[in-house]
Amino acid sequence: MINEFREKYGARILCSSAPHIGISASEIRKRLKQGLSVRYMVPRAVYEYIEKNNLYRGV
C-alpha cells in the first residue's frame, strides 16, 4: 500500500515504529467533562483548540 501511494501520488512516506497508546476520543471527552486535563494526551494544537473553544465541558 505504501508503494502504491508513492507511485500514484509521488508521496514521501517514512515509516517508524512507536508504541501503541490506547487513548480513545471517548476517554478524552470524558476527562474534559470531569474537568480533568488532557494536555499530554493530544497534540498541542488540538489541546489549544479545545481550550480556546471550551469544547466537551460539562455544563
Side-chain angles (χ1 to χ4, degrees), residues 31-59:
R31 287 181 62 84
L32 289 166
K33 188 173 183 178
Q34 294 173 343
L36 301 173
S37 176
V38 297
R39 174 64 190 97
Y40 299 104
M41 298 174 76
V42 296
R44 175 178 284 167
V46 172
Y47 175 76
E48 290 173 354
Y49 184 85
I50 290 170
E51 290 295 311
K52 177 181 175 186
N53 294 284
N54 200 29
L55 300 179
Y56 311 116
R57 304 289 184 205
V59 181

Side-chain angles (χ1 to χ4, degrees), residues 15-27:
C15 297
S16 66
S17 61
H20 180 263
I21 302 173
I23 301 173
S24 70
S26 297
E27 180 66 22

Side-chain angles (χ1 to χ4, degrees), residues 4-30:
E4 179 183 337
F5 284 117
R6 285 181 178 148
E7 293 170 12
K8 188 172 182 178
Y9 302 107
R12 282 186 54 199
I13 301 172
L14 304 173
C15 297
S16 66
S17 61
H20 180 263
I21 302 173
I23 301 173
S24 70
S26 297
E27 180 66 22
I28 300 293
R29 290 189 299 271
K30 179 181 171 184

